[in-house]
Amino acid sequence: MVSRKTVLYLFDVDGTLTKPRQVITEELKSFLLDKVKSRVTVGLVSGSDYVKIAEQMSGEDVAAKFDYVFCENGLVQYRAGKMISSGNIVGHLGEQTLQKVINFALGYMSKIELPAKRGNFIEFRSSMINICPVGRSCSQAERDQFSEYDKQHHIRQKFVDALQKEFSDSGLTFALGGQISVDVFPTGWDKTFCLNHIAHENFEEIHFFGDKTDPGGNDYEIYNDSRTIGHRVTSPDDTKEKLQKCLNIE
C-alpha cells in the first residue's frame, strides 16, 4: 500500500458522511478516524461553514482530528483544527452584482408555491450565497417534505435554469446545494478550489467521495477533475463500503 503521507482522501459531508444536515454516526466516525486515517491523509470539503461542519461531525474536537477541513469549498481552510486562510465573495464580485442576484432570487421565490415555506431564504457565506426556497428555518420533517416535492417538480433545477439565464454573463456558477438549496458562487470557486491549497503537498493520489456528482450538483466539478479519483456514493453506508474496498479494510 502507498504510504499514508502520499495519498489524500477528501470527503463531502452532507449526504456522504452524514444524512442531510444530520450528525455522523459513532460507527462511521470511529471507522474514519481509527481505520481510514491510519492508512491515508483525510480531509473534509463542504460548502458549509466550519460551525455547520463541526455540528455534523459531532463537535469541533472531531472536526479538528481531520488533517484538512475545507469550508465553503475551500475559501476557508483549516489544518489540524486551526484556520490557515480565508477569502470573501464581496471583494471578488462587488456589492452591486451581489444585490442583483439576491433581489432576483427573492423575487423568483416569492412566486413559488410549496407545501411549506419558512424563514432564512438567503444565507450569505464567505464564498457563496446559499438560496433556499423552503427556508433554512424549516423543520426536519419540512425539509424532507420539500426534498420529495423537489424530486417530483424539480423546483431547484428550474430555479438554477432561471438564474443561469438571467446572469449568463456574470461569471457566476449556480449549482444544487445539499438537499434543499441552491449555491451561487464565482465560477471556479467550486470544490476544486480546495485543491489549490494542497498542490504543493505532492500527493500521489487524491480521492474524492461525494453524492452530488451529476451535472449541476456541487460535487460535480471536483468529482470529474483530472487531479482527483472520483467516487460517487449514495449514502454514508455506501461511503463506508467503498472505503472498505479501496483500502482493503475488513
Side-chain angles (χ1 to χ4, degrees):
M1 178 178 290
V2 182
S3 65
R4 180 184 184 275
K5 293 182 180 179
T6 58
V7 176
L8 170 64
Y9 275 36
L10 277 174
F11 300 94
D12 165 56
V13 177
D14 216 45
T16 298
L17 297 182
T18 76
K19 293 181 180 180
R21 287 303 302 145
Q22 300 298 302
V23 178
I24 190 171
T25 64
E26 288 296 317
E27 179 184 6
L28 184 55
K29 180 177 70 176
S30 298
F31 177 77
L32 288 169
L33 295 178
D34 296 339
K35 295 188 177 181
V36 177
K37 192 182 176 186
S38 66
R39 291 166 168 81
V40 297
T41 303
V42 292
L44 307 175
V45 55
S46 170
S48 296
D49 60 25
Y50 189 76
V51 172
K52 287 188 176 68
I53 293 172
E55 286 175 357
Q56 290 188 259
M57 297 310 296
S58 190
E60 286 193 36
D61 57 328
V62 176
K65 291 179 181 177
F66 286 81
D67 298 294
Y68 301 95
V69 178
F70 297 113
C71 314
E72 306 193 38
N73 291 350
L75 260 291
V76 181
Q77 174 194 185
Y78 284 79
R79 297 194 186 192
K82 296 181 180 179
M83 188 172 73
I84 304 299
S85 62
S86 64
N88 192 291
I89 192 174
V90 177
H92 183 83
L93 289 182
E95 187 66 34
Q96 186 177 18
T97 299
L98 287 175
Q99 286 200 29
K100 285 181 179 179
V101 174
I102 291 170
N103 290 342
F104 178 85
L106 289 171
Y108 184 95
M109 287 187 290
S110 72
K111 299 177 179 67
I112 302 174
E113 291 190 8
L114 300 173
K117 276 188 177 181
R118 297 300 176 253
N120 194 9
F121 300 101
I122 303 284
E123 185 173 86
F124 191 81
R125 301 175 183 173
S126 296
S127 64
M128 70 175 70
I129 305 167
N130 182 264
I131 305 172
C132 182
V134 66
R136 300 195 71 88
S137 299
C138 64
S139 66
Q140 185 61 48
E142 291 162 344
R143 167 188 282 268
D144 293 338
Q145 181 186 45
F146 173 80
S147 179
E148 290 304 312
Y149 188 82
D150 187 45
K151 290 175 183 177
Q152 292 182 334
H153 300 280
H154 310 291
I155 299 299
R156 292 187 300 156
Q157 187 57 57
K158 291 175 183 176
F159 197 176
V160 165
D161 294 342
L163 286 161
Q164 288 174 336
K165 182 178 179 181
E166 181 71 16
F167 299 100
S168 59
D169 299 323
S170 65
L172 289 169
T173 294
F174 307 92
L176 302 183
Q179 187 183 28
I180 60 173
S181 60
V182 172
D183 291 336
V184 182
F185 49 85
T187 300
W189 285 25
D190 51 68
K191 288 181 180 176
T192 61
F193 194 93
C194 77
L195 301 177
N196 300 326
H197 297 307
I198 53 178
H200 65 285
E201 300 289 351
N202 297 317
F203 286 109
E204 291 187 15
E205 294 178 358
I206 300 174
H207 293 249
F208 171 76
F209 296 78
D211 66 315
K212 297 291 189 300
T213 58
D214 291 329
N218 61 2
D219 295 327
Y220 175 77
E221 289 84 3
I222 191 169
Y223 172 79
N224 288 283
D225 194 279
S226 61
R227 293 167 290 182
T228 68
I229 299 170
H231 303 268
R232 185 197 310 266
V233 300
T234 58
S235 67
D237 288 341
D238 187 37
T239 299
K240 182 179 179 181
E241 289 180 13
K242 284 183 168 58
L243 285 170
Q244 288 173 319
K245 290 180 181 178
C246 289
L247 297 172
N248 295 317
I249 299 174
E250 296 295 332

